[in-house]
Amino acid sequence: FKMKQLFAILFVALLLNVSTSCNKPPLPILQDETDTTGNGGGNEVKPSPFVGTWKYTKVELQNGTLGFMGNEVGTFVGNGSEIVGEVVLTEKPNKYTTELTFTADINVSVFGQNQQQSIPVEKTTTSGTWTESNGKITLTDDNGTQIDVISSSSSQIIFTGNFTQNIAAGPGLALVANSDVVFTITK
Protein backbone atom coordinates (compact mmCIF):
# COMPACT_ATOMS: atom_id res chain seq x y z
CA PHE A 1 0.00 0.00 0.00
CA LYS A 2 2.81 2.41 0.79
CA MET A 3 4.37 1.75 -2.59
CA LYS A 4 1.07 2.77 -4.28
CA GLN A 5 0.98 6.02 -2.29
CA LEU A 6 4.58 6.78 -3.24
CA PHE A 7 3.79 6.20 -6.93
CA ALA A 8 0.66 8.35 -6.65
CA ILE A 9 2.60 11.22 -5.06
CA LEU A 10 5.35 10.96 -7.69
CA PHE A 11 2.74 10.84 -10.46
CA VAL A 12 0.96 13.97 -9.13
CA ALA A 13 4.29 15.80 -8.73
CA LEU A 14 5.29 14.85 -12.27
CA LEU A 15 1.88 15.87 -13.61
CA LEU A 16 2.10 19.26 -11.86
CA ASN A 17 5.62 19.79 -13.14
CA VAL A 18 4.64 18.94 -16.74
CA SER A 19 1.51 21.09 -16.65
CA THR A 20 3.33 24.12 -15.24
CA SER A 21 6.15 23.85 -17.78
CA CYS A 22 3.60 23.92 -20.61
CA ASN A 23 2.22 27.25 -19.42
CA LYS A 24 4.54 29.58 -21.27
CA PRO A 25 4.30 33.28 -20.54
CA PRO A 26 2.60 35.29 -23.24
CA LEU A 27 4.89 36.81 -25.84
CA PRO A 28 5.18 40.57 -25.69
CA ILE A 29 3.32 42.42 -28.38
CA LEU A 30 5.73 44.50 -30.44
CA GLN A 31 4.12 47.69 -31.56
CA ASP A 32 5.46 49.43 -34.59
CA GLU A 33 6.47 52.91 -33.55
CA THR A 34 6.17 54.74 -36.80
CA ASP A 35 8.32 57.73 -37.43
CA THR A 36 6.19 60.68 -38.51
CA THR A 37 9.08 62.04 -40.57
CA GLY A 38 8.76 59.14 -43.00
CA ASN A 39 12.20 57.73 -42.20
CA GLY A 40 10.96 54.29 -41.17
CA GLY A 41 10.30 52.63 -37.85
CA GLY A 42 11.22 54.15 -34.52
CA ASN A 43 12.88 50.96 -33.24
CA GLU A 44 15.90 51.42 -35.49
CA VAL A 45 19.21 51.60 -33.60
CA LYS A 46 21.40 54.33 -34.99
CA PRO A 47 25.16 53.83 -35.09
CA SER A 48 27.37 56.05 -33.00
CA PRO A 49 28.36 59.29 -34.75
CA PHE A 50 31.98 58.30 -34.05
CA VAL A 51 31.80 55.22 -36.32
CA GLY A 52 33.53 55.71 -39.66
CA THR A 53 36.77 56.92 -41.20
CA TRP A 54 38.48 60.01 -39.78
CA LYS A 55 41.36 61.88 -41.47
CA TYR A 56 44.35 63.31 -39.63
CA THR A 57 44.29 67.07 -40.29
CA LYS A 58 46.71 68.51 -37.74
CA VAL A 59 49.78 67.30 -35.82
CA GLU A 60 51.39 69.56 -33.19
CA LEU A 61 54.70 68.63 -31.53
CA GLN A 62 55.12 70.12 -28.04
CA ASN A 63 57.69 69.89 -25.22
CA GLY A 64 60.19 68.17 -27.52
CA THR A 65 63.61 67.06 -26.32
CA LEU A 66 66.65 65.85 -28.22
CA GLY A 67 68.77 63.27 -26.48
CA PHE A 68 72.23 61.89 -27.15
CA MET A 69 73.56 58.92 -25.18
CA GLY A 70 70.95 59.48 -22.47
CA ASN A 71 71.62 63.24 -22.09
CA GLU A 72 69.34 66.06 -23.20
CA VAL A 73 71.17 68.18 -25.77
CA GLY A 74 68.32 70.31 -27.13
CA THR A 75 64.63 71.07 -27.36
CA PHE A 76 62.13 71.50 -30.16
CA VAL A 77 58.53 72.36 -31.07
CA GLY A 78 56.81 72.04 -34.42
CA ASN A 79 53.97 70.93 -36.62
CA GLY A 80 53.30 68.13 -39.03
CA SER A 81 53.10 68.68 -42.76
CA GLU A 82 52.41 66.28 -45.62
CA ILE A 83 50.06 64.45 -43.22
CA VAL A 84 48.70 61.19 -44.59
CA GLY A 85 46.67 59.05 -42.27
CA GLU A 86 43.34 57.97 -40.95
CA VAL A 87 41.58 56.50 -37.95
CA VAL A 88 38.87 53.92 -38.60
CA LEU A 89 36.31 53.31 -35.83
CA THR A 90 34.02 50.27 -36.04
CA GLU A 91 31.10 49.26 -33.89
CA LYS A 92 30.25 45.83 -32.43
CA PRO A 93 33.04 45.34 -31.61
CA ASN A 94 34.10 48.90 -30.79
CA LYS A 95 37.61 48.89 -32.27
CA TYR A 96 39.83 51.51 -33.81
CA THR A 97 42.86 51.31 -36.09
CA THR A 98 45.16 54.14 -37.08
CA GLU A 99 47.77 54.69 -39.72
CA LEU A 100 49.82 57.87 -39.95
CA THR A 101 52.85 59.30 -41.66
CA PHE A 102 53.94 62.95 -41.79
CA THR A 103 56.89 65.30 -41.95
CA ALA A 104 57.84 66.94 -38.66
CA ASP A 105 58.65 70.60 -39.35
CA ILE A 106 60.40 71.59 -36.15
CA ASN A 107 62.25 74.51 -34.65
CA VAL A 108 65.27 72.99 -32.86
CA SER A 109 67.24 74.72 -30.13
CA VAL A 110 70.64 73.10 -29.45
CA PHE A 111 73.25 74.84 -27.29
CA GLY A 112 71.40 78.14 -27.67
CA GLN A 113 71.30 77.95 -31.47
CA ASN A 114 67.94 77.74 -33.30
CA GLN A 115 67.56 75.79 -36.50
CA GLN A 116 64.62 74.74 -38.68
CA GLN A 117 64.44 71.04 -39.55
CA SER A 118 62.07 68.87 -41.59
CA ILE A 119 62.15 65.24 -40.54
CA PRO A 120 60.14 62.54 -42.32
CA VAL A 121 58.35 60.43 -39.70
CA GLU A 122 58.07 56.71 -40.33
CA LYS A 123 54.58 55.27 -40.80
CA THR A 124 53.01 54.22 -37.51
CA THR A 125 50.00 52.01 -36.99
CA THR A 126 48.12 51.48 -33.76
CA SER A 127 44.86 49.93 -32.67
CA GLY A 128 42.65 49.59 -29.65
CA THR A 129 39.11 49.93 -28.39
CA TRP A 130 36.75 52.86 -27.84
CA THR A 131 33.68 53.66 -25.79
CA GLU A 132 31.19 56.48 -25.88
CA SER A 133 29.54 58.12 -22.90
CA ASN A 134 27.43 61.28 -22.92
CA GLY A 135 28.57 62.13 -26.46
CA LYS A 136 32.28 61.90 -25.59
CA ILE A 137 34.69 59.25 -26.80
CA THR A 138 37.30 57.34 -24.78
CA LEU A 139 40.16 55.55 -26.54
CA THR A 140 42.26 52.73 -25.06
CA ASP A 141 45.17 51.26 -27.02
CA ASP A 142 45.87 47.53 -27.29
CA ASN A 143 48.40 47.82 -24.43
CA GLY A 144 45.57 48.95 -22.11
CA THR A 145 46.76 52.57 -21.98
CA GLN A 146 43.98 55.16 -22.07
CA ILE A 147 44.63 57.91 -24.61
CA ASP A 148 44.01 61.46 -23.42
CA VAL A 149 41.11 62.83 -25.49
CA ILE A 150 41.08 66.63 -25.20
CA SER A 151 37.78 67.10 -27.02
CA SER A 152 35.42 65.09 -29.18
CA SER A 153 32.38 65.76 -31.31
CA SER A 154 30.72 64.02 -34.24
CA SER A 155 33.01 65.91 -36.65
CA GLN A 156 36.33 66.42 -34.79
CA ILE A 157 38.40 64.56 -32.19
CA ILE A 158 41.54 66.02 -30.58
CA PHE A 159 43.77 63.66 -28.60
CA THR A 160 47.33 63.48 -27.34
CA GLY A 161 50.10 60.97 -27.77
CA ASN A 162 53.85 60.67 -27.78
CA PHE A 163 56.35 60.96 -30.62
CA THR A 164 59.75 59.27 -30.56
CA GLN A 165 62.06 59.22 -33.57
CA ASN A 166 65.76 58.51 -34.08
CA ILE A 167 67.45 61.23 -36.12
CA ALA A 168 70.72 60.63 -37.92
CA ALA A 169 73.19 63.31 -36.74
CA GLY A 170 76.22 62.11 -38.67
CA PRO A 171 78.04 58.85 -39.42
CA GLY A 172 77.22 56.48 -36.57
CA LEU A 173 75.58 59.23 -34.52
CA ALA A 174 71.88 59.42 -33.74
CA LEU A 175 69.78 61.77 -31.69
CA VAL A 176 66.55 60.64 -30.06
CA ALA A 177 63.71 63.09 -30.57
CA ASN A 178 60.85 62.74 -28.10
CA SER A 179 57.82 64.99 -27.66
CA ASP A 180 54.19 65.24 -26.70
CA VAL A 181 51.90 65.35 -29.71
CA VAL A 182 48.41 66.76 -30.16
CA PHE A 183 46.53 65.08 -33.01
CA THR A 184 43.41 66.44 -34.68
CA ILE A 185 41.22 64.18 -36.79
CA THR A 186 38.07 65.19 -38.66
CA LYS A 187 35.22 63.37 -40.34
Side-chain angles (χ1 to χ4, degrees), residues 41-56:
N43 291 335
E44 190 174 312
V45 177
K46 294 185 179 184
S48 166
F50 294 111
V51 172
T53 301
W54 298 72
K55 297 288 183 197
Y56 280 94

PDB file of all heavy atoms in Angstrom, residues 41-56:
ATOM      1  N   GLY A  41      10.732  52.952 -39.201  1.00  0.00           N
ATOM      2  CA  GLY A  41      10.305  52.629 -37.846  1.00  0.00           C
ATOM      3  C   GLY A  41      11.130  53.306 -36.781  1.00  0.00           C
ATOM      4  O   GLY A  41      12.284  53.630 -36.984  1.00  0.00           O
ATOM      5  N   GLY A  42      10.533  53.488 -35.619  1.00  0.00           N
ATOM      6  CA  GLY A  42      11.220  54.152 -34.522  1.00  0.00           C
ATOM      7  C   GLY A  42      12.108  53.227 -33.720  1.00  0.00           C
ATOM      8  O   GLY A  42      12.814  53.664 -32.844  1.00  0.00           O
ATOM      9  N   ASN A  43      12.073  51.911 -33.995  1.00  0.00           N
ATOM     10  CA  ASN A  43      12.879  50.963 -33.240  1.00  0.00           C
ATOM     11  C   ASN A  43      14.293  50.824 -33.791  1.00  0.00           C
ATOM     12  O   ASN A  43      15.059  50.023 -33.312  1.00  0.00           O
ATOM     13  CB  ASN A  43      12.202  49.584 -33.230  1.00  0.00           C
ATOM     14  CG  ASN A  43      10.936  49.598 -32.408  1.00  0.00           C
ATOM     15  OD1 ASN A  43      10.793  50.421 -31.515  1.00  0.00           O
ATOM     16  ND2 ASN A  43      10.021  48.690 -32.714  1.00  0.00           N
ATOM     17  N   GLU A  44      14.610  51.541 -34.832  1.00  0.00           N
ATOM     18  CA  GLU A  44      15.904  51.424 -35.488  1.00  0.00           C
ATOM     19  C   GLU A  44      17.013  51.956 -34.580  1.00  0.00           C
ATOM     20  O   GLU A  44      16.915  53.045 -34.032  1.00  0.00           O
ATOM     21  CB  GLU A  44      15.860  52.231 -36.788  1.00  0.00           C
ATOM     22  CG  GLU A  44      17.043  52.008 -37.684  1.00  0.00           C
ATOM     23  CD  GLU A  44      16.858  52.734 -39.002  1.00  0.00           C
ATOM     24  OE1 GLU A  44      15.778  52.604 -39.606  1.00  0.00           O
ATOM     25  OE2 GLU A  44      17.776  53.444 -39.402  1.00  0.00           O
ATOM     26  N   VAL A  45      18.069  51.179 -34.417  1.00  0.00           N
ATOM     27  CA  VAL A  45      19.211  51.601 -33.605  1.00  0.00           C
ATOM     28  C   VAL A  45      20.188  52.314 -34.514  1.00  0.00           C
ATOM     29  O   VAL A  45      20.645  51.759 -35.507  1.00  0.00           O
ATOM     30  CB  VAL A  45      19.886  50.384 -32.929  1.00  0.00           C
ATOM     31  CG1 VAL A  45      21.108  50.826 -32.157  1.00  0.00           C
ATOM     32  CG2 VAL A  45      18.905  49.674 -32.030  1.00  0.00           C
ATOM     33  N   LYS A  46      20.493  53.541 -34.165  1.00  0.00           N
ATOM     34  CA  LYS A  46      21.403  54.331 -34.993  1.00  0.00           C
ATOM     35  C   LYS A  46      22.836  54.097 -34.535  1.00  0.00           C
ATOM     36  O   LYS A  46      23.102  54.008 -33.344  1.00  0.00           O
ATOM     37  CB  LYS A  46      21.062  55.816 -34.891  1.00  0.00           C
ATOM     38  CG  LYS A  46      19.726  56.144 -35.480  1.00  0.00           C
ATOM     39  CD  LYS A  46      19.459  57.623 -35.470  1.00  0.00           C
ATOM     40  CE  LYS A  46      18.104  57.886 -36.095  1.00  0.00           C
ATOM     41  NZ  LYS A  46      17.810  59.282 -36.211  1.00  0.00           N
ATOM     42  N   PRO A  47      23.764  54.006 -35.486  1.00  0.00           N
ATOM     43  CA  PRO A  47      25.163  53.827 -35.095  1.00  0.00           C
ATOM     44  C   PRO A  47      25.693  55.092 -34.417  1.00  0.00           C
ATOM     45  O   PRO A  47      25.164  56.184 -34.597  1.00  0.00           O
ATOM     46  CB  PRO A  47      25.876  53.571 -36.424  1.00  0.00           C
ATOM     47  CG  PRO A  47      24.991  54.164 -37.469  1.00  0.00           C
ATOM     48  CD  PRO A  47      23.590  54.074 -36.923  1.00  0.00           C
ATOM     49  N   SER A  48      26.736  54.911 -33.658  1.00  0.00           N
ATOM     50  CA  SER A  48      27.374  56.049 -33.000  1.00  0.00           C
ATOM     51  C   SER A  48      27.884  57.021 -34.055  1.00  0.00           C
ATOM     52  O   SER A  48      28.364  56.600 -35.112  1.00  0.00           O
ATOM     53  CB  SER A  48      28.545  55.547 -32.150  1.00  0.00           C
ATOM     54  OG  SER A  48      29.361  56.629 -31.770  1.00  0.00           O
ATOM     55  N   PRO A  49      27.825  58.324 -33.783  1.00  0.00           N
ATOM     56  CA  PRO A  49      28.360  59.289 -34.755  1.00  0.00           C
ATOM     57  C   PRO A  49      29.879  59.183 -34.888  1.00  0.00           C
ATOM     58  O   PRO A  49      30.459  59.731 -35.812  1.00  0.00           O
ATOM     59  CB  PRO A  49      27.953  60.652 -34.178  1.00  0.00           C
ATOM     60  CG  PRO A  49      27.724  60.404 -32.733  1.00  0.00           C
ATOM     61  CD  PRO A  49      27.248  58.982 -32.617  1.00  0.00           C
ATOM     62  N   PHE A  50      30.524  58.450 -33.977  1.00  0.00           N
ATOM     63  CA  PHE A  50      31.977  58.297 -34.054  1.00  0.00           C
ATOM     64  C   PHE A  50      32.395  57.205 -35.035  1.00  0.00           C
ATOM     65  O   PHE A  50      33.541  57.154 -35.462  1.00  0.00           O
ATOM     66  CB  PHE A  50      32.561  58.007 -32.666  1.00  0.00           C
ATOM     67  CG  PHE A  50      32.417  59.155 -31.715  1.00  0.00           C
ATOM     68  CD1 PHE A  50      31.567  59.075 -30.634  1.00  0.00           C
ATOM     69  CD2 PHE A  50      33.121  60.339 -31.917  1.00  0.00           C
ATOM     70  CE1 PHE A  50      31.424  60.144 -29.753  1.00  0.00           C
ATOM     71  CE2 PHE A  50      32.979  61.410 -31.053  1.00  0.00           C
ATOM     72  CZ  PHE A  50      32.131  61.315 -29.972  1.00  0.00           C
ATOM     73  N   VAL A  51      31.474  56.312 -35.404  1.00  0.00           N
ATOM     74  CA  VAL A  51      31.804  55.221 -36.315  1.00  0.00           C
ATOM     75  C   VAL A  51      32.099  55.779 -37.700  1.00  0.00           C
ATOM     76  O   VAL A  51      31.399  56.640 -38.204  1.00  0.00           O
ATOM     77  CB  VAL A  51      30.642  54.202 -36.375  1.00  0.00           C
ATOM     78  CG1 VAL A  51      30.870  53.165 -37.461  1.00  0.00           C
ATOM     79  CG2 VAL A  51      30.457  53.536 -35.025  1.00  0.00           C
ATOM     80  N   GLY A  52      33.182  55.288 -38.306  1.00  0.00           N
ATOM     81  CA  GLY A  52      33.531  55.708 -39.659  1.00  0.00           C
ATOM     82  C   GLY A  52      35.018  55.979 -39.791  1.00  0.00           C
ATOM     83  O   GLY A  52      35.821  55.612 -38.932  1.00  0.00           O
ATOM     84  N   THR A  53      35.367  56.619 -40.895  1.00  0.00           N
ATOM     85  CA  THR A  53      36.765  56.925 -41.198  1.00  0.00           C
ATOM     86  C   THR A  53      37.032  58.403 -40.939  1.00  0.00           C
ATOM     87  O   THR A  53      36.319  59.272 -41.433  1.00  0.00           O
ATOM     88  CB  THR A  53      37.088  56.580 -42.671  1.00  0.00           C
ATOM     89  OG1 THR A  53      36.829  55.186 -42.864  1.00  0.00           O
ATOM     90  CG2 THR A  53      38.537  56.878 -42.997  1.00  0.00           C
ATOM     91  N   TRP A  54      38.065  58.665 -40.154  1.00  0.00           N
ATOM     92  CA  TRP A  54      38.480  60.011 -39.779  1.00  0.00           C
ATOM     93  C   TRP A  54      39.843  60.281 -40.404  1.00  0.00           C
ATOM     94  O   TRP A  54      40.691  59.403 -40.442  1.00  0.00           O
ATOM     95  CB  TRP A  54      38.593  60.119 -38.271  1.00  0.00           C
ATOM     96  CG  TRP A  54      37.317  59.900 -37.523  1.00  0.00           C
ATOM     97  CD1 TRP A  54      36.658  58.719 -37.338  1.00  0.00           C
ATOM     98  CD2 TRP A  54      36.541  60.890 -36.863  1.00  0.00           C
ATOM     99  NE1 TRP A  54      35.526  58.912 -36.594  1.00  0.00           N
ATOM    100  CE2 TRP A  54      35.434  60.249 -36.286  1.00  0.00           C
ATOM    101  CE3 TRP A  54      36.689  62.261 -36.693  1.00  0.00           C
ATOM    102  CZ2 TRP A  54      34.471  60.926 -35.559  1.00  0.00           C
ATOM    103  CZ3 TRP A  54      35.730  62.936 -35.962  1.00  0.00           C
ATOM    104  CH2 TRP A  54      34.631  62.279 -35.412  1.00  0.00           C
ATOM    105  N   LYS A  55      40.075  61.496 -40.864  1.00  0.00           N
ATOM    106  CA  LYS A  55      41.355  61.883 -41.473  1.00  0.00           C
ATOM    107  C   LYS A  55      42.158  62.729 -40.489  1.00  0.00           C
ATOM    108  O   LYS A  55      41.614  63.615 -39.836  1.00  0.00           O
ATOM    109  CB  LYS A  55      41.130  62.704 -42.751  1.00  0.00           C
ATOM    110  CG  LYS A  55      40.407  61.949 -43.843  1.00  0.00           C
ATOM    111  CD  LYS A  55      41.284  60.906 -44.461  1.00  0.00           C
ATOM    112  CE  LYS A  55      40.568  60.208 -45.589  1.00  0.00           C
ATOM    113  NZ  LYS A  55      41.194  58.964 -45.957  1.00  0.00           N
ATOM    114  N   TYR A  56      43.465  62.444 -40.401  1.00  0.00           N
ATOM    115  CA  TYR A  56      44.350  63.307 -39.629  1.00  0.00           C
ATOM    116  C   TYR A  56      44.464  64.635 -40.370  1.00  0.00           C
ATOM    117  O   TYR A  56      44.758  64.669 -41.562  1.00  0.00           O
ATOM    118  CB  TYR A  56      45.751  62.692 -39.504  1.00  0.00           C
ATOM    119  CG  TYR A  56      45.858  61.630 -38.442  1.00  0.00           C
ATOM    120  CD1 TYR A  56      45.692  60.286 -38.742  1.00  0.00           C
ATOM    121  CD2 TYR A  56      46.146  61.974 -37.126  1.00  0.00           C
ATOM    122  CE1 TYR A  56      45.802  59.311 -37.764  1.00  0.00           C
ATOM    123  CE2 TYR A  56      46.261  61.008 -36.137  1.00  0.00           C
ATOM    124  CZ  TYR A  56      46.091  59.679 -36.468  1.00  0.00           C
ATOM    125  OH  TYR A  56      46.205  58.731 -35.492  1.00  0.00           O
TER     126      TYR A  56
END
